Amino acid sequence: MTSALCGCMTSILTYETYKSVVVRSWPLGIVYRLVQLIIISYFVGYVFLYEKAYQVADTATESSVITKVKGFGKLNNAVMDVADYIYPPQGEGVFSIITKIIKTDNQFQGICSEVTHSEQFRHTEKEFNCSTNADCQQHLGSVQADGIITGACNTSAGYCEIEGWCPAEDDKVDIKPMPEFVNFTIYIKNSIRFPLFNVTRANFPSTKTVNNCTYDKNTDPFCPIFRVGYILDETQQNVTLLANQGGEIGINIEWRCNLDHDVKFCVPKYSFSKLDAPFQNAKGYNFRFAKYYKTENGTDYRRLHKAFAVRFDVMVTGTARKFSLIPTVINVIAAVTSIGMGTVLCDLILLHCLKGAQYYKEKKFEEVSEEQIHESLTPKPGSQLSIRRGNSSCNDSGAVSLSTNC
Ligand SMILES: *[C@@H]1O[C@H](CO)[C@@H](O)[C@H](O)[C@H]1NC(C)=O
């Protein structure tokens, strides 16, 4: 009874540790240390230093953009100021600078004939030539016309008749775009907040006087005033074509802040992109708007503008990072665990590829057969397995114990 209790206590109050096989092999040792070195340098160099895995990142930024354009240009001998060429006028992050306007004056509600459209905007179904009413019947419901197709043919003009704002717009006129727009300046006010760290930054220091600077990525990279021509050069635009057809330009403001450093190093980086580059056949950008008037006797009429414009999209992206304990601990543990990968690889080499693999295998894995167990239970002097097993009755760990007497 007491001996059974004693045995039980002994087996509970033991510490088990793993037995190691030391292999004195230079090549294997080199491979082992090399693998460890690679793993350590991966974690230290890439995971910690490059990817900064010890930091937590905030990408859910709150940002606002206000823009203001300045400059004067001449279109059809008329001086254009901001109110004439900026659309919409509120100074948003997305705005257009109109470079060319085709105006259609004195449009009244009524019935008139279609016109030919300029080459650039001609679709096959957009041509409304006719000689009989039947030619026009097929265009009923067309969305390409300038008004509702009535189905009748105006034989004297040779075009289908429409009901809508008349006369129909003729965009074949050749208008020289406003060339001065390359000298306009765009002032961008951008503020960004990283809610996780409660840090707010502006794209220029409040102490900086910004009235007479111009952005240049080399000489003045923090000036918030951009010359349109500079942006177009950066995106390698054909300025003449752009002024004629319109286009889309992206102004990217990128914030990458490492808040482990002083917050004054949290500054924006500007870059510019051609947003309509993926479109081969649908290049350009234009839109229409109208201004409405009343005649003396109360009839409405309007002036239609077809505006070709360069549209600017100011896009803000931001990431802020700062040291945090949890990712650090997790990644350190991952690193330490991964160092053990060296053992797996070396074991494979040791047990399968090296000369004498069979011998190593025998050293590493001790095989116990039932016969031997039987033998060990009835020990003979001089037996190979004479290591005494603890007189265990509830020992379930199966470990060979080097026990002292209780
Ligand atoms: C832009 O400004 C420069 C210098 O002020 C001037 O030489 C140039 O002619 C201007 N460009 C256009 C298209 O007006």
Side-chain angles (χ1 to χ4, degrees):
M1 181 65 196
T2 27
S3 81
L5 198 70
C6 170
C8 226
M9 285 306 283
T10 317
S11 61
I12 290 170
L13 297 176
T14 49
Y15 170 70
E16 287 166 22
T17 185
Y18 293 101
K19 190 170 134 185
S20 308
V21 177
V22 177
V23 181
R24 299 207 183 278
S25 155
W26 273 55
L28 200 62
I30 291 171
V31 169
Y32 183 55
R33 295 297 169 202
L34 211 63
V35 170
Q36 283 189 330
L37 191 72
I38 291 171
I39 291 169
I40 290 172
S41 42
Y42 167 76
F43 272 96
V44 172
Y46 181 74
V47 176
F48 282 94
L49 294 182
Y50 183 74
E51 286 287 330
K52 297 194 168 51
Y54 57 89
Q55 292 177 321
V56 65
D58 183 10
T59 50
T61 57
E62 296 159 5
S63 156
S64 88
V65 169
I66 295 173
T67 59
K68 191 169 230 173
V69 180
K70 282 192 172 158
F72 297 98
K74 266 189 161 181
L75 185 65
N76 277 344
N77 285 324
V79 172
M80 304 272 283
D81 67 10
V82 179
D84 299 316
Y85 60 70
I86 289 295
Y87 232 80
Q90 287 89 341
E92 293 171 32
V94 179
F95 62 94
S96 301
I97 296 180
I98 297 171
T99 53
K100 186 171 107 174
I101 300 178
I102 296 173
K103 289 176 187 164
T104 311
D105 277 318
N106 300 326
Q107 283 191 320
F108 286 86
Q109 287 280 321
I111 288 178
C112 53
S113 70
E114 261 290 3
V115 295
T116 332
H117 294 95
S118 77
E119 200 72 50
Q120 199 186 337
F121 304 101
R122 189 180 294 163
H123 304 260
T124 40
E125 76 268 48
K126 208 178 169 182
E127 289 319 299
F128 298 98
N129 304 61
C130 62
S131 44
T132 61
N133 284 356
D135 293 339
C136 292
Q137 298 287 337
Q138 63 183 18
H139 292 308
L140 283 174
S142 166
V143 292
Q144 307 288 351
D146 285 304
I148 298 171
I149 297 277
T150 60
C153 181
N154 183 332
T155 39
S156 60
Y159 284 102
C160 296
E161 219 174 56
I162 56 160
E163 184 186 351
W165 289 99
C166 287
E169 176 192 73
D170 180 4
D171 58 8
K172 288 192 305 302
V173 288
D174 190 22
I175 289 177
K176 228 173 112 307
M178 173 171 69
E180 294 87 359
F181 82 104
V182 294
N183 276 345
F184 292 178
T185 57
I186 304 169
Y187 168 56
I188 298 176
K189 238 165 84 178
N190 170 223
S191 74
I192 190 163
R193 195 175 95 90
F194 299 101
L196 189 62
F197 309 120
N198 195 18
V199 167
T200 308
R201 299 291 294 162
N203 64 331
F204 57 89
S206 50
T207 49
K208 190 177 163 87
T209 44
V210 294
N211 291 332
N212 43 25
C213 70
T214 316
Y215 173 86
D216 184 296
K217 68 177 173 207
N218 300 317
T219 60
D220 204 348
F222 300 119
C223 175
I225 299 175
F226 303 82
R227 215 183 123 252
V228 171
Y230 182 89
I231 296 175
L232 301 186
D233 287 347
E234 285 287 297
T235 56
Q236 282 136 29
Q237 291 278 358
N238 178 341
V239 175
T240 326
L241 195 70
L242 190 73
N244 255 306
Q245 293 191 352
E248 247 191 303
I249 309 281
I251 300 176
N252 311 294
I253 307 180
E254 193 188 9
W255 296 83
R256 269 173 169 268
C257 295
N258 186 346
L259 297 177
D260 290 336
H261 298 158
D262 195 310
V263 75
K264 74 169 186 258
F265 296 115
C266 180
V267 290
K269 189 169 169 286
Y270 301 96
S271 62
F272 312 98
S273 52
K274 219 191 286 192
L275 293 181
D276 56 1
F279 304 105
Q280 291 304 316
N281 298 318
K283 279 208 188 319
Y285 176 64
N286 65 73
F287 57 89
R288 288 184 175 81
F289 61 95
K291 291 186 175 154
Y292 298 86
Y293 310 92
K294 246 186 196 355
T295 58
E296 266 170 23
N297 57 24
T299 320
D300 282 326
Y301 69 102
R302 73 173 191 182
R303 168 189 267 181
L304 177 67
H305 302 75
K306 177 174 184 176
F308 294 80
V310 183
R311 183 182 133 133
F312 291 88
D313 282 23
V314 183
M315 293 166 286
V316 183
T317 52
T319 321
R321 301 175 150 275
K322 199 173 189 174
F323 171 80
S324 169
L325 195 60
I326 293 169
T328 309
V329 169
I330 290 173
N331 281 295
V332 166
I333 290 172
V336 170
T337 317
S338 303
I339 291 173
M341 298 256 291
T343 320
V344 175
L345 184 72
C346 290
D347 273 0
L348 279 179
I349 298 173
L350 179 72
L351 301 176
H352 298 284
C353 309
L354 280 194
K355 233 175 24 183
Q358 193 53 42
Y359 181 72
Y360 291 128
K361 228 180 247 178
E362 276 164 22
K363 277 282 173 196
K364 187 166 163 58
F365 301 106
E366 229 174 288
E367 280 177 32
V368 179
S369 65
E370 281 195 8
E371 240 169 76
Q372 283 168 320
I373 293 170
H374 195 73
E375 244 173 72
S376 77
L377 289 177
T378 53
K380 277 183 281 178
S383 151
Q384 229 190 350
L385 267 151
S386 61
I387 303 164
R388 220 150 38 104
R389 294 183 66 90
N391 33 351
S392 53
S393 49
C394 54
N395 179 357
D396 58 353
S397 75
V400 174
S401 56
L402 303 167
S403 70
T404 52
N405 258 333
C406 192

